[in-house]
Amino acid sequence: VQLQASGGGLVHAGDSLRLSCIASGGTFRSYNMAWFRQALGREREFVATISWSGDSTYHTGTVKGRFTISRDNAKNTVYLQMNNLKSEDTAVYYCAATKKFGTTESTYDNWGQGTLVTVSS
């Protein structure tokens, strides 16, 4: 499956942004999906994951209560709603797909190209 992320941009602290990731070339509903992010000079880190049905989600502690992962299988799209953004959320955000379930990079076989989110304080 091929993944195309979009929706990044420059925002101010406290603002909201919604990222989208459209999948093609595979059966989207058979994949569990996730968002990762990588800040400049840092390793890529897990943000959130959602099961193929959308029934199960998990968000890392630093974004819990501010970010929400969701999906629309009819549109082959996974979203990341980001509210109350902070400067430390500045990073390139990547969507990823797997037929397993987990929070580590190695779990995911398919990656999008990334979309840059910059939060100014």
Side-chain angles (χ1 to χ4, degrees), residues 30-96:
S30 68
Y31 289 91
N32 299 314
M33 301 295 296
W35 288 96
F36 287 75
R37 66 185 181 185
Q38 187 169 21
L40 189 64
R42 301 186 66 176
E43 293 187 353
R44 190 153 53 184
E45 65 175 359
F46 168 81
V47 176
T49 186
I50 187 167
S51 63
W52 66 271
S53 64
D55 288 345
S56 296
T57 62
Y58 178 75
H59 300 76
T60 194
T62 54
V63 308
K64 191 173 292 185
R66 299 189 299 122
F67 292 11
T68 303
I69 189 171
S70 63
R71 66 190 294 161
D72 185 340
N73 285 345
K75 296 182 178 180
N76 289 354
T77 303
V78 61
Y79 304 99
L80 186 67
Q81 178 66 43
M82 305 185 294
N83 298 329
N84 190 23
L85 282 158
K86 304 177 180 181
S87 57
E88 51 263 43
D89 295 319
T90 294
V92 177
Y93 284 72
Y94 299 89
C95 57

Side-chain angles (χ1 to χ4, degrees), residues 86-115:
K86 304 177 180 181
S87 57
E88 51 263 43
D89 295 319
T90 294
V92 177
Y93 284 72
Y94 299 89
C95 57
T98 183
K99 293 191 176 182
K100 307 171 189 175
F101 197 82
T103 62
T104 60
E105 285 190 65
S106 60
T107 302
Y108 294 83
D109 310 305
N110 303 277
W111 293 83
Q113 86 289 1
T115 185

